[in-house]
Amino acid sequence: MGELNGVDKKQLKEDQNTSTMAVKSGGALLHRMQQPIEHKDFVEEVRGIMDINNLLDRSAVLLDLQDQPNENPSTSSLESIVDTMLNSMMSAGNETVTREELKSLIFSNNEMDMLANTVQGTIEGDGGGHEVDQNWVCSTTEVPTLMNRVVGISRMSRHTNMGEGANEVKFFILILCPTNIKGTKTALETARTFSTLFSDMSLRHALLECTTDLEFKAQIRKTANEISTRQEKAEIDMSKEEVDNEPRFLQPFRGIRDDLARRLPYYWSDYKDGVVGPKSLQKTISTTFFLYFSIILPAIAFGNLQDDNTGGDINVEKILVGQVCGGLIFSVLAGQPLVVVMTTAPLVLFTKIILLVAQDFGFPFLPFFAMVGLWNSFFLIIYAVFNLSKLMKYSSRSTEETFGNFISIALTVDALKHLAGSFKSNYNNKACELEDIQSQHQHDSLNDTLVNPLISALSHNITKRAAEAPTDLPCQRDVSLLYLILMLGTVWLGVSLFDFVKTPYLSSRKRELLSDYALPVAVIVFSIIGSVVFNKVNLDPFKFEGKFNITLVAFEELTVGAVFFAALLGFSLSILFFMDQNISAAMVNSPENHLKKGNAYHWDLVVVALINAVLSIFGLPFMHAVLPHSPLHVQCLADKETRVTNGYARDVVTYVRETRLTNIFSNILIGITMLFLQYILPYIPKAVLDGLFLYMAVTALYGNQMFERVTLLVTEQAAYPPNHYIKRVPQRKMHTFTACQLVNLLVLCVFGFTPWPYIKMIFPVVLACFLPIRHKVLPLLVERKYLEAIDPTTKD
């Protein structure tokens, strides 16, 4: 029995050794717990401001800290970051705790690649949902042998991987606190103070530009005071109901008055913000050139199209004069200066409708066109006076993105039409058919003569008939091929430079500079290639004579019937203006852009109405807010940070320079260019313009949720990105909603591209009907809770 017990004990000891080896080889267990904590209230909790005043001056700040490999290969580079911070934090020498003891508490494992206790922020995803903000992380540690609280803040030289959930860390806060300390001074409470501050994107943006630790600390102190003031003001305003401040339809001029009261205090800062501040001047200059090229080239193209349609009554010169005058007036007087106004493709189509109606009823075109413009302005002012822009609160992201995608499709269709026209005129014309027949005849003439005289005779007759056919244009296949190369080359270079900021090449500043100047560089490079390198290829030039003949319209030529008939077209046109203007402004004012100065829907409608009234009197073409220029204008003026969720990276806007200078400078530049445009225009091929159209269409899809969801229809489910709507909406409901959007887009395309002009007249009405369809019809197919998750209505 005793021998058996000895065997059992020996076996038990072997089992224990085996178990120990298994634990060592398989790893340890890790207990992880996540729990939400509230932001620090700097008004109610006085310790917040006290922590900033007492701890910030004594804290260690390290700017552009390098992520260096650790000397010990068995440990992580995160340990070297913590070592560097601890050396700076504990340099006073009044603490007895050792570095090894501190690191054993800061890290949760021996490899020292996992922080034991951290605080991070959560941010709202696109349109809803929450995700971890990986731009910063705060490590909190309680140390029993520590005497005083110690804080260290580092700004990493580049985004650093600090473990799971912290893949793109730019700011690292390390907080050490004694264990036995007052409850309001614990490590967690201290972390709440600094984490509340670093949750503010504007603070992180400002800290990126600080060059000294004193400037860094001063910016943190300034933001703490601003948050305290903001929280106090929010408490005072909490009792006021926002609905009571909303203008009603039967309160004339209320919306206009509120818009002016909201925007006038920021008027001078609209100029200052384009110059003052880090990278502001650089962004203003690059965005000015972006607007310059993206406005003047489409304006010239639309001018050529209008010239052909109207027999010269509206031409390139008139469009450019109207653009400069209207653009400058809007830039100076508008409430939202980030909106871009110009003549658009829908307005060109509507002008053709006015022309056909005038021809059918025998009205003089230009006076009738101008009268339609005056009625349009009248209706727009009525809409603004009675606060109809408040209806845009029912506008949702789906409506805005559906219309934006329609514009992208229209730009693509225009470019492809021009390409097809070039191939039809130069590649597949009758002269080319004749050359093909002659070449084939010469190649096979000997064999055909020897083998079959009948075939030879038939070929000779075909050649003779082809030679007798009229040939308006010579066969120039090189023209069409060069057209294709220049068009695709422009869009390729532009998009490649636009995305260059995402590559690891060069420094971040140079990458951003190339991305800012993507469109101007692409246009200039391929204009040189087309007009200099291939100067012997006969590309079609733009029509531009440089003769500016602007006179008052002869309204006396119109009959009373024509005046009232123009009111019908003016009403239809006003709906197009109302929807286009407000949708463009809503996309600019999107919450994702984090604009701070507010909107001005009603006042901007008045400004656009007055501009078009003046333009109409002089027979100049109409103009309103344009897509995708307006949202792209915001993106050009924005600073962004990259956020990673489950391995998927996306750019998030952190700050936008809300300035009038870019719109003003670009229109002034267009006005200057008009003086010598006839000498420059021959060096810009039409193919480059079509490449610009495609560039605008492609870049407008960036961040477009509708386009993302359409791609999910052909994406493997395991590869779905971690977007909020994928997490919160059942897949079947998500695809049902996407299908409804595609139907809306198809309806827009049918009415927008139909060859019958009278059907195109109701295109604006169809667009306006999308608002009630979104709120009355779609809830019958998709539950409201899912609709609000996937497509929240515009809150701004």
Side-chain angles (χ1 to χ4, degrees):
M1 190 72 175
E3 194 173 336
L4 181 62
N5 288 338
V7 172
D8 288 344
K9 290 178 181 178
K10 183 177 179 182
Q11 183 66 38
L12 179 62
K13 186 174 181 181
E14 289 178 356
D15 290 344
Q16 289 176 342
N17 290 338
T18 303
S19 177
T20 303
M21 290 175 64
V23 169
K24 287 183 179 179
S25 61
L29 299 176
L30 179 66
H31 173 218
R32 176 178 294 167
M33 182 177 68
Q34 291 183 339
Q35 132 182 22
I37 58 175
E38 294 182 353
H39 283 84
K40 180 79 76 173
D41 189 333
F42 286 92
V43 178
E44 296 292 334
E45 302 178 77
V46 295
R47 176 55 59 185
I49 293 295
M50 292 176 64
D51 281 347
I52 297 300
N53 293 333
N54 297 331
L55 289 177
L56 193 59
D57 289 335
R58 294 186 284 109
S59 63
V61 172
L62 289 82
L63 301 182
D64 300 324
L65 181 62
Q66 296 283 342
D67 178 19
Q68 300 291 347
N70 202 12
E71 296 179 359
N72 184 357
S74 64
T75 58
S76 69
S77 61
L78 182 56
E79 183 187 4
S80 67
I81 295 174
V82 173
D83 280 333
T84 305
M85 294 186 67
L86 289 177
N87 289 336
S88 180
M89 294 165 60
M90 312 300 288
S91 60
N94 53 358
E95 299 286 352
T96 58
V97 63
T98 63
R99 302 287 190 278
E100 294 304 320
E101 180 183 355
L102 290 175
K103 288 194 289 185
S104 68
L105 297 171
I106 292 171
F107 294 102
S108 60
N109 58 354
N110 294 330
E111 289 77 15
M112 298 189 181
D113 59 358
M114 298 177 65
L115 298 170
N117 297 293
T118 61
V119 176
Q120 286 180 274
T122 59
I123 54 176
E124 187 173 351
D126 294 338
H130 288 82
E131 57 190 43
V132 174
D133 186 351
Q134 304 191 45
N135 193 255
W136 63 275
V137 63
C138 178
S139 172
T140 66
T141 305
E142 292 188 348
V143 185
T145 56
L146 197 66
M147 298 173 59
N148 300 298
R149 291 185 294 170
V150 186
V151 177
I153 307 173
S154 66
R155 185 183 71 193
M156 309 304 296
S157 61
R158 61 177 182 270
H159 290 90
T160 304
N161 188 350
M162 293 191 177
E164 185 179 355
N167 305 126
E168 293 282 330
V169 175
K170 187 65 178 180
F171 296 97
F172 179 40
I173 306 105
L174 181 59
I175 295 176
L176 307 176
C177 289
T179 304
N180 298 322
I181 198 170
K182 187 177 178 181
T184 57
K185 295 183 178 180
T186 62
L188 183 58
E189 288 299 317
T190 307
R192 280 182 63 212
T193 299
F194 285 92
S195 297
T196 299
L197 294 175
F198 275 84
S199 297
D200 191 328
M201 283 197 301
S202 60
L203 170 64
R204 301 201 302 269
H205 173 265
L207 293 180
L208 289 174
E209 308 300 331
C210 294
T211 56
T212 64
D213 57 343
L214 292 178
E215 186 181 352
F216 195 93
K217 294 177 180 179
Q219 187 62 51
I220 294 177
R221 186 176 288 106
K222 176 185 176 184
T223 301
N225 293 328
E226 289 176 352
I227 291 177
S228 176
T229 304
R230 196 158 61 233
Q231 290 176 342
E232 185 174 7
K233 184 179 178 182
E235 288 186 2
I236 295 174
D237 296 340
M238 193 72 74
S239 59
K240 298 180 180 179
E241 291 290 338
E242 187 177 347
V243 178
D244 294 339
N245 293 328
E246 188 177 78
R248 298 189 177 128
F249 296 130
L250 297 180
Q251 291 179 307
F253 300 98
R254 173 70 185 277
I256 298 173
R257 187 174 70 249
D258 289 349
D259 287 347
L260 292 175
R262 187 186 304 116
R263 289 293 310 193
L264 278 177
Y266 298 105
Y267 187 78
W268 294 114
S269 70
D270 289 342
Y271 295 93
K272 182 183 68 175
D273 290 349
V275 180
V276 178
K279 297 191 295 185
S280 290
L281 189 59
Q282 169 194 324
K283 287 283 187 181
T284 298
I285 295 174
S286 63
T287 306
T288 296
F289 281 105
F290 164 77
L291 289 180
Y292 170 75
F293 283 101
S294 63
I295 291 176
I296 191 171
L297 292 181
I300 293 170
F302 293 147
N304 276 263
L305 188 58
Q306 295 274 51
D307 195 356
D308 294 337
N309 291 340
T310 65
D313 287 337
I314 297 177
N315 51 26
V316 177
E317 290 84 347
K318 285 191 173 183
I319 281 189
L320 291 179
V321 170
Q323 174 62 47
V324 173
C325 297
L328 286 175
I329 294 172
F330 188 85
S331 302
V332 174
L333 298 182
Q336 179 49 273
L338 297 181
V339 171
V340 180
V341 294
M342 64 174 293
T343 293
T344 63
L347 290 180
V348 174
L349 295 176
F350 209 94
T351 302
K352 190 171 183 179
I353 294 173
I354 296 173
L355 174 67
L356 294 175
V357 171
Q359 290 175 346
D360 288 346
F361 289 90
F363 303 145
F365 165 68
L366 206 55
F368 186 67
F369 170 83
M371 184 55 65
V372 171
L374 291 179
W375 278 112
N376 167 61
S377 297
F378 170 76
F379 286 119
L380 289 179
I381 292 176
I382 294 296
Y383 301 157
V385 168
F386 289 98
N387 313 314
L388 261 65
S389 287
K390 67 172 287 186
L391 292 174
M392 292 310 295
K393 71 179 182 180
Y394 297 109
S395 175
S396 64
R397 181 168 186 150
S398 66
T399 306
E400 298 161 7
E401 290 187 341
T402 301
F403 184 65
N405 288 336
F406 169 77
I407 297 299
S408 293
I409 291 174
L411 292 174
T412 304
V413 168
D414 281 343
L416 295 180
K417 277 184 178 179
H418 297 158
L419 178 64
S422 176
F423 269 84
K424 184 177 181 180
S425 300
N426 300 293
Y427 197 92
N428 294 323
N429 58 21
K430 294 180 179 179
C432 292
E433 294 177 4
L434 175 60
E435 285 191 7
D436 290 341
I437 294 173
Q438 289 177 341
S439 175
Q440 184 69 25
H441 175 65
Q442 292 173 359
H443 182 267
D444 297 334
S445 60
L446 180 60
N447 294 334
D448 290 343
T449 303
L450 294 175
V451 176
N452 194 339
L454 178 60
I455 295 177
S456 178
L458 289 174
S459 176
H460 177 74
N461 290 335
I462 293 172
T463 304
K464 183 178 180 181
R465 286 197 302 271
E468 293 172 353
T471 55
D472 298 329
L473 294 172
C475 183
Q476 297 176 315
R477 286 176 169 161
D478 52 341
V479 172
S480 299
L481 293 175
L482 181 60
Y483 198 104
L484 177 64
I485 292 172
L486 294 179
M487 184 182 76
L488 296 181
T490 302
V491 65
W492 167 78
L493 182 60
V495 173
S496 298
L497 292 179
F498 186 79
D499 289 336
F500 197 77
V501 71
K502 301 176 183 178
T503 68
Y505 307 116
L506 304 179
S507 64
S508 60
R509 198 64 177 262
K510 293 177 181 176
R511 290 197 299 267
E512 186 176 2
L513 196 66
L514 282 173
S515 180
D516 289 342
Y517 287 93
L519 181 60
V521 169
V523 169
I524 292 173
V525 167
F526 277 91
S527 293
I528 293 174
I529 291 175
S531 58
V532 177
V533 178
F534 294 96
N535 59 347
K536 294 185 179 180
V537 179
N538 298 319
L539 295 173
D540 293 334
F542 286 103
K543 295 179 183 178
F544 185 79
E545 299 178 358
K547 298 177 181 178
F548 301 95
N549 184 21
I550 311 299
T551 57
L552 291 172
V553 173
F555 289 103
E556 64 274 8
E557 297 179 6
L558 291 176
T559 63
V560 176
V563 171
F564 285 100
F565 196 96
L568 179 63
L569 288 174
F571 176 71
S572 177
L573 181 61
S574 69
I575 297 177
L576 175 64
F577 266 73
F578 180 82
M579 296 299 297
D580 235 348
Q581 179 70 34
N582 284 309
I583 286 177
S584 300
M587 295 183 74
V588 166
N589 292 309
S590 171
E592 297 174 354
N593 293 331
H594 303 289
L595 302 185
K596 298 179 179 179
K597 298 180 182 180
N599 59 59
Y601 292 111
H602 309 86
W603 173 246
D604 284 353
L605 213 56
V606 173
V607 175
V608 168
L610 296 177
I611 290 173
N612 281 277
V614 175
L615 295 179
S616 298
I617 292 173
F618 289 95
L620 300 175
F622 312 134
M623 64 192 313
H624 58 56
V626 59
L627 293 174
H629 298 64
S630 298
L632 288 178
H633 183 205
V634 178
Q635 297 296 316
C636 289
L637 289 169
D639 288 333
K640 303 177 183 178
E641 65 183 25
T642 302
R643 291 176 180 166
V644 179
T645 305
N646 296 343
Y648 287 86
R650 63 185 181 90
D651 292 331
V652 176
V653 173
T654 58
Y655 174 74
V656 176
R657 295 157 185 83
E658 300 178 54
T659 179
R660 299 176 184 273
L661 294 182
T662 49
N663 250 325
I664 292 175
F665 289 164
S666 59
N667 283 289
I668 290 176
L669 202 57
I670 292 172
I672 295 174
T673 306
M674 287 166 53
L675 301 176
F676 47 87
L677 187 60
Q678 55 185 333
Y679 307 108
I680 298 177
L681 211 52
Y683 296 98
I684 302 178
K686 287 185 177 180
V688 172
L689 169 70
D690 290 322
L692 181 143
F693 280 167
L694 291 178
Y695 170 88
M696 304 290 287
V698 170
T699 52
L701 297 178
Y702 284 43
N704 187 298
Q705 287 186 7
M706 178 182 173
F707 179 73
E708 292 174 356
R709 282 185 273 106
V710 169
T711 60
L712 293 182
L713 296 174
V714 291
T715 302
E716 185 182 4
Q717 293 186 16
Y720 279 14
N723 292 330
H724 70 279
Y725 47 80
I726 293 176
K727 299 176 182 177
R728 300 172 61 189
V729 181
Q731 180 177 327
R732 186 184 298 272
K733 298 295 183 181
M734 180 181 67
H735 291 329
T736 300
F737 180 80
T738 304
C740 293
Q741 272 192 287
L742 289 175
V743 171
N744 288 345
L745 180 60
L746 180 62
V747 170
L748 272 186
C749 291
V750 168
F751 282 90
F753 298 129
T754 181
W756 299 291
Y758 289 99
I759 294 181
K760 289 182 180 178
M761 286 177 58
I762 64 173
F763 172 83
V765 180
V766 173
L767 182 59
C769 287
F770 286 169
L771 297 184
I773 288 174
R774 162 63 178 82
H775 291 277
K776 298 299 181 183
V777 178
L778 283 183
L780 302 177
L781 303 175
V782 182
E783 290 87 337
R784 289 189 182 275
K785 62 179 181 179
Y786 298 140
L787 279 178
E788 282 303 312
I790 199 172
D791 183 41
T793 53
T794 302
K795 299 297 188 296
D796 194 350

